[in-house]
Amino acid sequence: MPVSQTRKVNALAAATADDVATARVAAAYAEPAAVDPVNTASVPSGWAVQVASSPKQSEAQALLDETSKQAPSILADATGFTVAFEKDGVTYYRARFGFGSKTAAWKACNALKKKKIECYAVQQ
């Protein structure tokens, strides 16, 4: 049932600082779900940096936009996208940035952490 949306993010975010903080905390506890290659064909392959998870796709997208605004040079070559997953009967949306390699994803996540942006790198 994963649903994904891929697009370059350059818009301003509509989320408040509390929304961002809440979604980032939720991201830290979200478990990775199994990936169905047929339904997730449009998700960038390789490595990604997850910055948040939210029960609303619009909030996940706003978090991508906000993170891009906070760290434009770090995420300049990354593609922002959302990935749906289900936990305890609730659909959540992961906010991720795609990278071509493990090294690039880890480097970007470490740079984001220096800007106080919580994240983790994950292979897709």
Side-chain angles (χ1 to χ4, degrees):
M1 169 145 130
V3 177
S4 65
Q5 177 183 22
T6 303
R7 73 178 178 97
K8 204 71 159 157
V9 288
N10 291 320
L12 295 177
T16 67
D18 287 340
D19 292 339
V20 172
T22 300
R24 288 195 174 133
V25 169
Y29 294 99
E31 296 176 13
V35 175
D36 178 351
V38 174
N39 289 328
T40 59
S42 63
V43 173
S45 63
W47 282 78
V49 171
Q50 183 166 321
V51 294
S53 178
S54 173
K56 293 182 181 177
Q57 187 172 17
S58 60
E59 286 178 5
Q61 189 60 55
L63 291 162
L64 286 172
D65 295 341
E66 177 65 21
T67 304
S68 290
K69 182 181 169 190
Q70 291 174 340
S73 61
I74 298 167
L75 301 170
D77 296 325
T79 302
F81 61 97
T82 61
V83 178
F85 71 100
E86 191 171 310
K87 183 174 180 176
D88 298 328
V90 179
T91 300
Y92 295 91
Y93 297 88
R94 292 184 174 110
R96 293 182 170 178
F97 291 94
F99 291 87
S101 70
K102 178 180 180 178
T103 302
W106 280 71
K107 185 177 177 180
C109 189
N110 286 332
L112 290 172
K113 287 178 180 179
K114 288 178 182 177
K115 290 186 165 280
K116 308 284 190 236
I117 298 171
E118 293 182 35
C119 61
Y120 63 90
V122 60
Q123 186 174 20
Q124 304 199 102

